Amino acid sequence: MNATADIDRLAGVLPLASIIPFPDLLLGGVLLVAVVLIHGIGIRLVSVHFRKRSDALARRVRPSLRLDALLGVVIFLLLALHLSEVVFWTAALVYSRLVEDWRTAAFFAANTYTTVGYGKFVLPAEWSMMSPIISISGLFTFGWTGSVLVGFVTSLDRLRDRQTMNAADKSRSD
């Protein structure tokens, strides 16, 4: 018996092995989980940096410009995190021999991860489901990054509001 027929028979209704090929799902799923874990570690590190720096800056007089610079640094760090995840996918594609050269793999991984989808390169037909898995990893991580950025901006706004209230209280007491 062949494995594909066994999987199809177990599914009962649909030929699952032809719809979602097992090698794609296994390799892609493991890599997707790894990318999301890498992203989580990176988000934690960026968040700790943000909290420490924003708390220190909030104690200063007129920290507004420095808080803006902190947001710029945080955005750059998040960009670096996403680029490292593209490099991770690139390495996986090259080392699994799905893509021959690093440049093609990087271009494909970046376009697929960001869901841009631009380019002429496609994976071999038997690995075609890997592309949507790479895209899903990008959707997960970009959504996470977006929510973290909203939290950072909200924190900065609160710090600015607190600074404004403190300055108003100080001027009233003088």
Side-chain angles (χ1 to χ4, degrees):
M1 291 239 145
N2 87 32
T4 301
D6 290 342
I7 292 170
D8 290 345
R9 195 178 60 221
L10 286 174
V13 180
L14 297 172
L16 286 182
S18 62
I19 296 170
I20 304 174
F22 186 71
D24 295 36
L25 186 59
L26 181 63
L27 179 61
V30 167
L31 294 173
L32 181 142
V33 169
V35 165
V36 172
L37 290 174
I38 290 167
H39 196 76
I41 292 166
I43 289 290
R44 180 178 302 271
L45 294 172
V46 171
S47 295
V48 166
H49 172 75
F50 175 82
R51 266 188 237 106
K52 284 181 182 177
R53 294 299 303 144
S54 63
D55 288 345
L57 291 173
R59 290 186 219 108
R60 294 179 173 235
V61 178
R62 297 186 203 156
S64 187
L65 186 57
R66 289 185 175 117
L67 291 173
D68 291 338
L70 175 60
L71 184 60
V73 168
V74 164
I75 290 169
F76 179 78
L77 291 172
L78 292 171
L79 170 64
L81 178 59
H82 282 285
L83 291 175
S84 70
E85 292 157 6
V86 168
V87 169
F88 180 84
W89 276 115
T90 300
L93 292 169
V94 170
Y95 288 125
S96 65
R97 296 197 170 106
L98 292 176
V99 182
E100 294 287 323
D101 66 283
W102 285 88
R103 184 173 176 85
T104 302
F107 187 76
F108 175 78
N111 279 293
T112 307
Y113 177 82
T114 60
T115 69
V116 170
Y118 176 78
K120 297 176 183 172
F121 179 82
V122 292
L123 291 174
E126 61 273 10
W127 289 94
S128 61
M129 288 301 290
M130 185 68 80
S131 298
I133 293 171
I134 296 171
S135 295
I136 290 167
S137 76
L139 291 171
F140 285 168
T141 57
F142 281 116
W144 193 350
T145 297
S147 69
V148 167
L149 273 175
V150 167
F152 290 158
V153 170
T154 302
S155 294
L156 291 177
D157 286 346
R158 285 186 187 138
L159 288 172
R160 286 190 178 98
D161 291 345
R162 196 174 320 138
Q163 279 288 325
T164 303
M165 289 173 33
N166 289 344
D169 289 345
K170 186 175 180 176
S171 70
R172 273 184 254 163
S173 66
D174 291 341

